[in-house]
Amino acid sequence: MKKEIKIKNQVEELERVNQFVEEIGEELGLDMELQMNLNLVMEEMVSNIIFYAYPEGKPEDIELTAEYNGKELIFVLSDHGKEFDPTAKEDANPDINPIDREIGGMGIYIVKNIMNKVTYQRLEGKNLLTMKKEL
């Protein structure tokens, strides 16, 4: 199974991303908890691109592919926005009171804890974030 969706860098597009993940979940017979976790991961990473990768008001494409190889569900998120490696950011400490914590960092912490492997590459002016989940 391989699927792809192309969206614009607009908040309204997050609904399409959720539908995309739900369709994959139904096709693969994933349980509701896993499906919700995958939705959380994709929403977090796509919203980071929408809010931070491009100058405000500049419409750009974001691509999300999903592939199941019989063992792993692999998502690849790609964009032409400014270079940013979320995996290089130090993990947030979940034990710190949210009031005392710096803004940012919890999203990638959540993603790393839900997914089995998260890697980043910058190739030919593109950010490529690969997220793998063993099924």
Side-chain angles (χ1 to χ4, degrees):
M1 183 274 316
K2 186 171 185 176
K3 293 183 178 288
E4 184 175 321
I5 185 173
K6 188 181 284 191
I7 63 168
K8 292 293 181 194
N9 59 329
Q10 299 167 344
V11 174
E12 301 79 35
E13 295 280 66
L14 290 172
E15 189 174 319
R16 288 185 56 216
V17 172
N18 285 338
Q19 288 173 335
F20 178 74
V21 173
E22 285 173 16
E23 288 171 13
I24 292 165
E26 288 173 15
E27 187 173 321
L28 296 177
L30 303 180
D31 66 52
M32 188 55 69
E33 182 181 0
L34 178 55
Q35 211 168 301
M36 288 173 59
N37 282 336
L38 292 174
N39 259 331
L40 176 62
V41 165
M42 295 310 130
E43 190 170 304
E44 183 62 39
M45 294 295 92
V46 171
S47 63
N48 281 347
I49 296 169
I50 290 170
F51 292 123
Y52 305 115
Y54 298 106
E56 196 171 326
K58 186 173 187 244
E60 294 286 347
D61 290 330
I62 300 168
E63 295 175 15
L64 177 60
T65 61
E67 185 172 357
Y68 180 61
N69 62 15
K71 171 175 101 164
E72 288 179 313
L73 180 55
I74 303 163
F75 290 95
V76 179
L77 192 53
S78 66
D79 67 86
H80 286 93
K82 64 182 170 187
E83 186 173 351
F84 177 68
D85 179 358
T87 67
K89 190 165 176 52
E90 190 175 316
D91 285 345
N93 183 346
D95 298 327
I96 294 175
N97 184 323
I99 294 169
D100 300 327
R101 187 182 304 132
E102 286 184 36
I103 293 176
M106 280 308 293
I108 190 65
Y109 173 81
I110 291 167
V111 171
K112 286 179 179 177
N113 280 284
I114 291 173
M115 305 305 279
N116 296 102
K117 188 170 185 183
V118 181
T119 57
Y120 170 84
Q121 290 179 290
R122 178 77 177 186
L123 292 174
E124 299 173 4
K126 257 187 172 175
N127 293 305
L128 297 170
L129 187 67
T130 304
M131 299 160 283
K132 297 179 180 183
K133 182 68 179 174
E134 294 171 10
L135 300 182

